[in-house]
Amino acid sequence: MVRKLSLAACAACVVVAIAAPGAEAALRSCGPVVNPYAGTRFEGLNLHHIRARHVTCPGARTVAKGAHRKALAMTPTLSGIRRFTWRGWRVVGDIRGSEDRYLAVKGHRRVRWRF
C-alpha cells in the first residue's frame, strides 16, 4: 500500500515537472511598435522586446503603445519606478538604466516591453 502511494506521488511529480515547461510555452515574442512617437523628441525609438502571455501579439502591441504613452506623460519619480493603471492593466515601469522596462498585468495576462 505504501509502495503504491509512493509510486503515485512520484508519478504526480513527474506530471507536474513535465507540465511546468508548458506554462512557459504560452510566452510569445511579438514584433516591435515601430516609431510610435513620430514628430517628437522620441522619434525613431521603438517599443521593442515585446513579450506576451495569454495575449495576442496585436493586443500586446496595443497595450505596450497605450500604456507607454501614458507613462511618458507622467512626471518621473525619484525612485525611477512608475506605477499606474491603463484601461484596467496594472503597469510597472523601471526607468533606471539605459533601457526602460515595463510590465503590464491584467488578471493572468501579462505584457512586457522595453523602450
Side-chain angles (χ1 to χ4, degrees):
M1 181 67 170
V2 172
R3 188 165 195 221
K4 284 184 184 179
L5 207 55
S6 141
L7 284 174
C10 264
C13 288
V14 168
V15 168
V16 168
I18 291 171
E24 283 296 316
L27 182 67
R28 74 180 51 152
S29 177
C30 301
V33 176
V34 178
N35 198 17
Y37 306 111
T40 70
R41 67 183 178 141
F42 300 114
E43 184 168 14
L45 297 176
N46 300 331
L47 301 178
H48 63 281
H49 208 79
I50 299 173
R51 303 289 183 260
R53 179 167 288 149
H54 303 294
V55 182
T56 64
C57 280
R61 284 192 291 275
T62 299
V63 169
K65 185 176 179 181
H68 195 260
R69 186 170 295 274
K70 181 173 180 176
L72 286 181
M74 298 171 62
T75 304
T77 62
L78 293 177
S79 68
I81 305 294
R82 292 180 171 151
R83 295 178 191 279
F84 60 96
T85 59
W86 178 80
R87 295 190 179 181
W89 290 84
R90 291 175 300 145
V91 183
V92 177
D94 183 354
I95 60 173
R96 301 170 297 182
S98 61
E99 283 190 324
D100 300 352
R101 297 170 182 262
Y102 288 87
L103 168 66
V105 178
K106 187 175 189 179
H108 64 281
R109 297 178 285 178
R110 288 177 172 30
V111 178
R112 293 181 181 274
W113 71 94
R114 295 182 190 171
F115 178 67

